[in-house]
C-alpha cells in the first residue's frame, strides 16, 4: 500500500516534538503492517530464506534492546535485501530514496514489537513494499547540501522533488533542477521556520518527512 510521509499534526503533543526518527518510524510501521511481503518463489510459493532473515522479530527486538553487537548481522541482512530488491524489482533504482538505515530499523523494530513471532525477513519485505511508491525509478546523482556547519548528501531527484514541494507551498520560486543553491537554501529555511523546526537550511530527515509525500 502507498505510504505517506507527510506531516500529520496530531502526531505530537502540544509543546513537545518527537525526534524525526521516531515520527518517520511510526509512519513506516503503519504501512509496513498493511503491506504484504513481495518476493519470487517456486510454483508452490515456497522459497529459501538465508541468514538473519530466518530469525524471529522477537529476537531482533531483544538484541536491539540489549544493544548487542549481533544486531549488525541484521543490519547487513537488511542492506543486502534492499540491494537485491533494487536489482530485481522493475523500474527501481533505489527503493529507499532518502530514509536513513537507523530510521528503517526503528520502523522494523516497532512492527516486530507487535509481531514477535513473525520472521525478520517478512518485516523487511513488508517495509520494502511499503516504500515502493516513493522509490527512485532511475539512477540519480548525489548532491551535497551545505549551510553553515550543517551538511547532508541526498539524491538530486529527491532535492528536485523537495523544490517542487516547496514551490507548491510558496517557499521556492526557482527552477526545480535538483541543485542546491541560495534560493533552495532560503526556501528550506522559510519552510522550517513556518513549521517551527530547527532551521538548518538543508534537506535533513525531519524536513523531508514534513515536506515530501
Amino acid at each position: 500500500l502507498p505510504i505517506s510521509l507527510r506531516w500529520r499534526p496530531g502526531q505530537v503533543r502540544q509543546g513537545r516534538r518527537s525526534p524525526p526518527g521516531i515520527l518517520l518510524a511510526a509512519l513506516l510501521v503503519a504501512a509496513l503492517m498493511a503491506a504484504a511481503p513481495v518476493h519470487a518463489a517456486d510454483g508452490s510459493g515456497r522459497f529459501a530464506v538465508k541468514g538473519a532473515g530466518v530469525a524471529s522479530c522477537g529476537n531482533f527486538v531483544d538484541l536491539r534492546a540489549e544493544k548487542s553487537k549481533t544486531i549488525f548481522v541484521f543490519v547487513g541482512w537488511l542492506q543486502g535485501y534492499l540491494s537485491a530488491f533494487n536489482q530485481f524489482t522493475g523500474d527501481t533504482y533505489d527503493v529507499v530514496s532518502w530514509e536513513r538505515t537507523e530510521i528503517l530499523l526503528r520502523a522494523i523494530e516497532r512492527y516486530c514489537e507487535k509481531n514477535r513471532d513473525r520472521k525478520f525477513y517478512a518485516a523487511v519485505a513488508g517495509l520494502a513494499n511499503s516504500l515502493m511508491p516513493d522509490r527512485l525509478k532511475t539512477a540519480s546523482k548525489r548532491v551535497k547540501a551545505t549551510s553553515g556547519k550543517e551538511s547532508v548528501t541526498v539524491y538530486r531527484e529527491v532535492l528536485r522533488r523537495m523544490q517542487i514541494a516547496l514551490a507548491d507551498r510558496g517557499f521556492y520560486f526557482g527552477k526545480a533542477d535538483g541543485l542546491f543553491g541560495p534560493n533552495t537554501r532560503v526556501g528550506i529555511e522559510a519552510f522550517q521556520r513556518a513549521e517551527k523546526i530547527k532551521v538548518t537550511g538543508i534537506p535533513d530527515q525531519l524536513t523531508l518527512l514534513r515536506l515530501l509525500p
Side-chain angles (χ1 to χ4, degrees), residues 94-193:
D94 196 346
V95 69
V96 182
S97 58
W98 55 268
E99 300 86 354
R100 293 178 181 173
T101 299
E102 177 57 28
I103 288 178
L104 300 180
L105 289 171
R106 290 185 185 183
I108 294 171
E109 182 179 21
R110 289 196 167 195
Y111 170 82
C112 284
E113 287 173 346
K114 298 179 180 180
N115 300 272
R116 291 182 62 90
D117 293 333
R118 295 294 301 276
K119 296 298 183 183
F120 183 70
Y121 85 84
V124 174
L127 177 65
N129 191 36
S130 72
L131 291 170
M132 278 293 285
D134 298 316
R135 72 192 185 282
L136 295 183
K137 295 184 178 181
T138 59
S140 178
K141 293 183 178 180
R142 291 185 178 273
V143 176
K144 186 174 183 179
T146 301
S147 179
K149 296 182 179 180
E150 303 285 351
S151 181
V152 68
T153 300
V154 296
Y155 284 120
R156 182 171 177 175
E157 171 60 18
V158 171
L159 190 55
R160 187 188 71 84
R161 294 177 185 178
M162 186 178 199
Q163 289 169 329
I164 293 174
L166 287 169
D168 288 343
R169 291 162 176 74
F171 294 106
Y172 179 69
F173 304 94
K175 182 179 179 181
D177 54 10
L179 299 177
F180 187 80
N183 290 337
T184 302
R185 177 181 55 78
V186 170
I188 292 174
E189 290 175 344
F191 174 77
Q192 290 169 334
R193 291 191 185 94

